[in-house]
């Protein structure tokens, strides 16, 4: 390849409803690496973009929550496959976003791939772990089953642009919810590229919607949106006052709220390399308990 | 409709319960007056007779009770699980021993029929303590890690519709997991919680582990706001639940909220009509309809609407309304004048908006707070009585043609607590139950409860689950 060849820049776009729109506002903002070198102009989403994303997520909810857990697991695993195939691209983007050395960034991407695989395996197991038959004192068949809560707004971690991002999205959709994700404000490029991975992973459009922009501007309308069922405030970890306001706004329709881990002086407040456990899966699950009479046959319990 | 013969009165004796003329707050194992000396009276809703006078807690009393609970927390949480379990087993046994007394007391203070306090409330209260007693020494096996820790001091606020049962739902899991509690019963039904305080003393429960503050909303509000409360458990209205969620925002306080409901009871055309009618009656007239998970919206398939309604009206004419202490009484008194006014106003709204009202023919006693079983037909989804929780013996009847329409109408609510399905077809039960956005679905039965079974709502019916293994999570640091 000739040294004089000019590279082709990528126009970063949002990922909403399975499509790649620009922000309806027409706004973009500059994204730079930690040294201040310009990387790209990315869409600065508006409140309208956030509302559009909720509509897309709601539309996708019926199909995604109704898919079999096995099918969801297949698709999540497919995401891992697609991400693995783009390892170099993501390593570069993560290195640029987080100021990491090449090998460190590769380790981050590997961990992100592994995290998709971990959650892919959970889709058809969580129901057995947290649900089950209840031995009630009466002639009833009584079963508790976990079900997705609905549309979940996710404020992605501000620092961990890929591993943290994957760690908050995968558990939400593994359990059958759909997500509206607000990417890290300063480090959105891996998130916007992840949209491209999701779009080619058999994931139905609208299951994950990714917005870039100012977190505070997008979080407020999502926290008060009456058709959002839950909000993950992880990305507000560095701003306790804002997290409190968002939680209070979420009370208007009693959204499930996942509070951020306190992060003194900014950051995510989380160790994304640690074993994730099941917390992020159960945080966005409801429990439905169904009762049915068994009848009380005279022969039940008789000797044979 | 005339009866062939009347029932002879069969009143349960009041002599099994000894209500003192006045009660104090139960703080740190002692009964004590409110700091500012305030008191209020509690009435029997069926006669408006004053039963007793109880202390009215204020912010200072809340602080005292929370400090007592904090002081007790260290030792209580450090007890081996087997020891905590034995205290809970003791409490369960004493409740069983004093079950008759507590049933009569609850009926007097709440107005609900003795048939329900005796056969539903009290057995379930004892069962809850037994169930959670058994968890106390098995917490490492509950799926919340090998050594889950308690949260600390739990502030618990309960409603007036099931005073003792809601107390059991709150206190049993809290104590089993090693928390200490400050509980505020509703202002119209304070007595059974105070009797429970005496049970704690009989059981030898360490001082300060359970504290009972009788009082009004301001005391509940102070409890929620207290900086040394780690966990808020609330059962009550959605409006108050939202307020609590707002006020604990940005704090470390955990919360479980069991709020309102507008349950859909769906009757398909192949349902056995007589059984469905019994289920409809249980769904909306149990406890005078003052149940958050009541089946207050009846969705009947159009083809059987007339048949079901005829059978339902026929059944309602046989319900006996009157003295709650009479063992033959089905429908007791509404809990308070305020609640009666709310039910009355909402029923009038139903008429004003054009729904057709039918009221069971029964004579209402001259004193006390009463509302005859009532149903509205011709109700649309836009009607106030199809959307707002009435919390009284008022049923709104809607129709549907297809299962999809039934599901869409059932889910068309801000609430998501309960639902019922009546059909002979098993696959239809599973299909419909799967699509309903509700925490509890009763198929071919209604209003069944059990300590092993998680209970709680979707959407604006609240956060979290009570009962079962799931109920432990709310009191553990997980």
């Amino acid at each position: 390849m000739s040294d004089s060849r000019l590279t082709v820049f990528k126009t970063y776009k949002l990922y909403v409803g399975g499509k790649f729109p620009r922000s309806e506002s027409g706004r973009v903002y500059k994204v730079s690496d930690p040294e201040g070198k310009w990387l790209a102009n990315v869409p600065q989403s508006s409140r309208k973009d956030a509302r559009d994303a909720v509509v897309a997520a709601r539309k996708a909810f019926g199909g995604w929550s109704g898919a079999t857990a096995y099918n969801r697991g297949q698709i999540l695993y497919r995401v891992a496959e697609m991400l693995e195939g783009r390892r170099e691209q993501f390593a570069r983007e993560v290195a640029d976003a987080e100021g990491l050395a090449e090998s460190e960034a590769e380790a981050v991407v590997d961990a992100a791939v592994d995290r998709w695989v971990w959650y892919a395996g959970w889709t058809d197991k969580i129901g057995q772990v947290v649900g089950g038959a209840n031995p009630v004192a009466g002639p009833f068949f009584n079963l508790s089953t976990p079900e997705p809560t609905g549309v979940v707004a996710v404020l992605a971690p501000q620092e961990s642009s890929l591993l943290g991002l994957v760690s908050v999205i995968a558990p939400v959709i593994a359990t059958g919810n759909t997500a509206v994700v607000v990417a890290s404000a300063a480090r959105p490029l891996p998130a916007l590229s992840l949209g491209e991975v999701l779009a080619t992973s058999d994931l139905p459009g609208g299951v994950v919607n990714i917005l870039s922009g100012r977190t505070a501007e997008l979080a407020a309308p999502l926290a008060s949106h009456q058709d959002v069922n839950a909000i993950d405030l992880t990305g507000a970890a560095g701003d306790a006052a804002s997290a409190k306001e968002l939680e209070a706004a979420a009370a208007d329709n009693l959204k499930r709220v996942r509070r951020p881990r306190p992060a003194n002086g900014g950051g995510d407040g989380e160790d994304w390399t640690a074993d994730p456990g099941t917390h992020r899966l159960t945080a966005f699950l409801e429990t439905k308990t169904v009762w049915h009479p068994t009848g009380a046959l005279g022969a039940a319990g008789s000797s044979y | 409709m005339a009866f062939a013969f009347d029932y002879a009165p069969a009143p349960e004796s009041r002599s099994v319960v000894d209500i003192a003329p006045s009660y104090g707050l139960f703080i740190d194992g002692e009964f004590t007056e409110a700091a500012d000396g305030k008191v209020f009276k509690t009435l029997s809703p069926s006669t408006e007779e004053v039963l007793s006078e109880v202390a009215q807690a204020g912010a200072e009393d809340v602080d005292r009770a929370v400090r007592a609970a904090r002081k007790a927390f260290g030792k209580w949480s450090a007890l081996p699980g087997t020891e905590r379990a034995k205290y809970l087993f003791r409490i369960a046994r004493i409740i069983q021993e004093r079950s008759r007394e507590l049933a009569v007391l609850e009926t007097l203070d709440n107005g609900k029929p003795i048939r329900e306090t005796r056969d539903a409330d009290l057995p379930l209260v004892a069962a809850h303590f037994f169930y959670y007693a058994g968890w106390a020494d098995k917490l490492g096996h509950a799926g919340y890690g090998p050594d889950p820790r308690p949260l600390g001091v739990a502030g618990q606020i309960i409603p007036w519709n099931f005073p003792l049962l809601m107390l059991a739902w709150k206190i049993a899991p809290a104590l089993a997991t090693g928390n200490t509690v400050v509980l505020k019963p509703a202002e119209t039904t304070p007595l059974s919680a105070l009797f429970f305080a005496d049970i704690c003393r009989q059981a030898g429960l360490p001082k300060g582990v359970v504290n009972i503050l009788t009082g009004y909303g301001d005391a509940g509000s102070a409890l929620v706001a207290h900086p040394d409360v780690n966990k808020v458990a609330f059962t009550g209205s959605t409006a108050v639940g939202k307020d609590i969620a707002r006020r604990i925002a940005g704090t470390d306080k955990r919360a479980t909220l069991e709020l309102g409901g507008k349950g859909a009871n769906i009757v398909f055309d192949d349902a056995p009509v007589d059984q469905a009618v019994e289920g409809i009656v249980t769904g909306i007239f149990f406890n005078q309809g003052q149940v958050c998970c009541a089946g207050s919206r009846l969705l009947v398939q159009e083809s059987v609407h007339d048949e079901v309604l005829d059978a339902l009206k026929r059944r309602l004419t046989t319900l006996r309304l009157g003295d709650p202490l009479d063992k033959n009484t089905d429908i007791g008194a509404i809990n308070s004048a305020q609640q009666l006014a709310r039910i009355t106003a909402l029923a009038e709204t139903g008429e004003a908006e054009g729904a057709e009202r039918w009221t069971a023919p029964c004579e209402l006693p001259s004193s006390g707070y009463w509302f005859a079983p009532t149903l509205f037909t011709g109700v649309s989804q836009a009607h106030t009585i199809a959307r707002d929780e009435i919390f009284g013996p008022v049923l709104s009847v809607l129709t549907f043609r297809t299962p999809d329409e039934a599901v869409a109408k059932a889910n068309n609510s801000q609430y998501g607590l309960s639902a019922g399905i009546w059909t002979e077809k098993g696959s239809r039960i599973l299909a419909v139950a799967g699509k309903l956005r509700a925490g509890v679905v009763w198929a071919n039965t209604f209003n069944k409860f059990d300590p092993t079974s998680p209970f709680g709502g979707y959407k604006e019916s609240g956060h979290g689950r009570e009962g079962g293994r799931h109920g432990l999570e709310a009191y553990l640091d997980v």
Side-chain angles (χ1 to χ4, degrees), chain A residues 58 61 129-132 134-138 140-142 144-150 226 229 240 243-245 247-249 251-257 259 262 279 282 285-293, chain B residues 238 241-242 245-246 248-254 257 259 429 432-445 448-450 452-465 469-470 473 478:
Chain A
R58 174 61 61 194
F61 178 69
V129 171
V130 304
N134 308 305
V136 299
F140 296 95
F141 172 66
N142 176 307
S144 288
T145 320
E147 290 190 346
T149 195
Q226 296 301 295
N229 301 92
K244 180 180 174 173
E245 267 175 41
E247 186 179 343
D252 279 344
N253 70 335
L254 290 162
K255 285 179 188 68
R256 277 62 180 144
V257 175
R259 289 175 177 155
H279 280 238
T282 54
L285 286 172
E286 301 288 348
T287 298
K288 177 187 280 176
T289 301
V290 179
W291 293 66
H292 192 281
Chain B
T238 292
K242 288 180 181 180
R246 265 178 221 117
I248 62 166
T251 70
D252 290 334
K253 285 179 187 154
R254 310 283 185 89
L257 306 171
L259 310 176
I429 289 172
V432 172
K435 286 180 186 160
L436 291 172
R437 305 290 290 161
V440 187
V441 178
W442 286 289
N444 293 326
T445 183
K448 291 284 183 291
F449 306 94
D450 192 276
T452 67
S453 185
F455 180 97
Y458 285 49
K459 299 196 276 188
E460 295 189 24
S461 287
H463 291 177
R465 294 293 179 271
R469 186 191 71 82
H470 295 75
E473 184 180 5
V478 295

Side-chain angles (χ1 to χ4, degrees), chain B residues 382-418:
Chain B
H383 280 128
T384 305
I385 52 170
R387 308 200 72 81
D388 289 8
E389 187 178 37
I390 299 176
F391 223 66
V394 180
L395 179 65
S396 298
V397 184
L398 298 88
T399 60
F400 68 91
R401 290 183 179 177
T402 64
D404 280 350
E405 189 188 345
V407 168
K409 283 185 169 169
N411 286 340
N412 183 15
S413 167
Q414 74 188 96
Y415 299 115
L417 187 51
S418 71

Side-chain angles (χ1 to χ4, degrees), chain B residues 28-302:
Chain B
D28 207 16
E30 304 296 335
F31 284 100
T32 155
E33 285 180 20
D36 57 11
K38 279 193 188 170
V39 294
F40 64 103
K41 291 179 168 54
T42 185
L43 302 179
S44 175
S46 63
T47 58
E48 298 175 60
E49 152 206 10
V50 173
L51 293 173
S52 186
E53 196 173 75
V54 298
Q56 183 182 337
E60 204 178 312
D61 304 304
V62 168
D63 187 54
R64 234 175 356 134
V66 172
R67 276 190 280 121
R70 173 63 59 198
K71 200 175 79 192
F73 174 67
K75 274 190 184 165
W76 178 249
S77 59
L79 271 187
T82 45
E83 298 299 303
R84 280 204 311 275
K86 284 192 285 183
Y87 280 113
L88 286 166
F89 280 123
R90 280 185 181 187
I91 290 172
R93 272 288 189 245
I94 296 172
I95 287 169
Q96 286 182 320
E97 288 162 7
R98 298 178 61 175
S99 168
R100 173 73 54 104
E101 172 195 0
L102 293 166
V104 173
L105 176 75
E106 195 85 317
T107 285
L108 283 170
D109 204 20
N110 170 282
K112 62 168 73 187
I114 187 76
R115 196 167 64 85
E116 291 179 5
T117 52
R118 182 194 60 194
D119 298 347
D121 296 51
L122 263 299
L124 278 170
V125 170
H128 265 89
F129 279 99
F130 269 106
Y131 177 74
Y132 278 110
W135 268 124
D137 55 358
K138 301 169 192 69
L139 295 174
H141 300 277
Y144 301 112
D147 184 26
R149 307 304 307 158
L151 294 170
V153 175
Q156 308 181 316
I157 302 166
I158 57 170
W160 44 259
N161 59 342
F162 293 90
L164 204 47
L165 183 58
M166 291 301 103
L167 174 149
W169 282 26
K170 298 281 182 291
I171 290 184
L175 297 195
T177 46
N179 298 272
T180 55
V181 308
V182 178
L183 177 128
K184 190 197 88 68
E187 63 266 24
T188 60
T189 53
L191 293 183
S192 51
L194 295 169
F195 274 58
F196 179 79
D198 184 51
I199 290 172
C200 292
R201 293 218 291 202
Q202 287 186 338
L205 195 71
K207 292 179 177 203
V209 170
V210 168
N211 304 273
I212 309 277
L213 296 178
T214 48
Y216 283 77
D218 60 325
S221 184
L223 186 55
V224 170
H226 197 288
D228 207 25
V229 164
N230 304 100
K231 149 91 193 168
V232 176
F234 172 76
T235 296
S237 76
T238 292
V240 175
K242 288 180 181 180
D243 185 53
I244 291 173
R246 265 178 221 117
R247 291 176 51 201
I248 62 166
T251 70
D252 290 334
K253 285 179 187 154
R254 310 283 185 89
T256 35
L257 306 171
E258 295 285 359
L259 310 176
K262 192 74 190 174
N265 206 356
I266 307 169
V267 178
F268 287 95
D269 59 6
D270 64 343
V273 172
D274 289 345
Q275 286 170 38
V277 163
E278 286 307 308
I280 295 163
V281 171
T282 305
I284 183 60
F285 299 115
F286 178 61
N287 201 27
Q288 294 69 247
Q290 301 169 132
V291 186
C292 53
C293 54
S296 54
R297 286 182 298 154
L298 176 63
L299 300 180
V300 194
Q301 196 150 16
E302 212 171 85

